[in-house]
Amino acid sequence: AAGRRTAESVRGAERVLEALSVLDGEEERAAEYEAALARHAAAPPDDDRPRPTLVPNLLLLGLTPGAYLLRALGSVRPAELEQALLLLPFDAVRRLLVRLLPLLPEAPPVELMARTILYLLRVHHKPLVASRALLDLLGPIHAALSARVSAERARLGYNVAALGFLRSAIERGSEGGGLFGEALSARAAAAPPTVSELRRKTAAREKKTGGKRRPKQKGSAAE
């Protein structure tokens, strides 16, 4: 159950509502741009008006609409998310579900989207089922969310199995010196000896010969 209303949950709901409003305005701008392009294409050849351009929306902060919406949802603290969603009016809930549907197959924060959708469906179950248009929306949401969760579960299982295999290989290598041992030995053999290694080898040779050093040969006296 959602906790008590707090100032943070109210601000979170306001951020989500603001994001939905910005995205609705962006859709209207895109529609107007498409209409202007169509009028420009249908204009006579002697019309010297420049081709319409769509100025980037600075409110989107350089993000795609989907990333902008998820940024607004992610800005709400996890402990306040359910209360913030509970403060949304039903029309905003409908718009939020519609915008989350195309993000389900590939958008990265699947946990955030799943938690948001499941909570909204649980809280607004009766009005969602009573609306024919929204009832038709629930089928694609269920299919997309189930497919995404299954894919994430399979990916997680694969990664866990890979980590288990790596752990077993490391344990076997630490016991027998196998894992990476041959590569490290070959690298050490190929590397040039250091100064300390040369000194140790020299000291070992002198110890074997009784500490006697070969006398240096003097050059022959000049005649």
Side-chain angles (χ1 to χ4, degrees):
R4 298 175 57 184
R5 177 186 300 189
T6 62
E8 179 62 29
S9 63
V10 173
R11 287 193 293 268
E14 291 176 350
R15 286 194 291 269
V16 175
L17 289 173
E18 180 182 2
L20 292 174
S21 177
V22 170
L23 294 179
D24 290 342
E26 182 64 16
E27 280 191 351
E28 294 179 359
R29 283 189 349 110
E32 294 175 357
Y33 172 69
E34 294 296 334
L37 282 180
R39 290 193 298 269
H40 182 269
D46 56 349
D47 192 347
D48 57 352
R49 286 180 298 179
R51 187 176 186 272
T53 57
L54 182 62
V55 180
N57 191 345
L58 298 180
L59 296 177
L60 293 179
L61 306 176
L63 303 173
T64 62
Y68 180 76
L69 177 60
L70 293 176
R71 180 180 182 273
L73 281 174
S75 66
V76 184
R77 293 194 308 176
E80 307 289 345
L81 179 61
E82 292 185 354
Q83 182 61 39
L85 295 174
L86 190 62
L87 296 176
L88 297 179
F90 184 71
D91 180 66
V93 171
R94 176 190 61 80
R95 290 151 56 201
L96 181 58
L97 290 175
V98 170
R99 294 194 178 278
L100 286 177
L101 175 57
L103 303 178
L104 286 175
E106 296 181 358
V110 61
E111 299 87 354
L112 176 62
M113 293 189 295
R115 184 182 177 190
T116 299
I117 291 174
L118 293 178
Y119 182 75
L120 292 177
L121 294 181
R122 185 168 70 249
V123 172
H124 301 281
H125 177 72
K126 289 184 178 180
L128 288 172
V129 173
S131 173
R132 179 64 182 178
L134 295 179
L135 186 60
D136 294 338
L137 179 66
L138 297 184
I141 288 179
H142 178 267
L145 185 58
S146 299
R148 178 65 184 277
V149 171
S150 298
E152 294 295 331
R153 186 182 295 114
R155 184 179 296 108
L156 179 61
Y158 179 84
N159 291 338
V160 170
L163 289 175
F165 175 80
L166 182 60
R167 177 183 177 183
S168 301
I170 292 176
E171 290 176 351
R172 291 194 303 268
S174 61
E175 294 174 358
L179 186 64
F180 307 128
E182 295 180 0
L184 292 176
S185 300
R187 180 179 179 181
T194 61
V195 176
S196 59
E197 291 176 351
L198 291 174
R199 289 177 178 175
R200 285 196 299 269
K201 291 179 180 180
T202 303
R205 285 196 301 267
E206 292 178 353
K207 186 176 181 181
K208 289 181 180 180
T209 58
K212 297 180 180 180
R213 295 185 179 181
R214 297 177 60 183
K216 296 182 179 180
Q217 296 179 357
K218 296 182 180 181
S220 57
E223 294 180 355

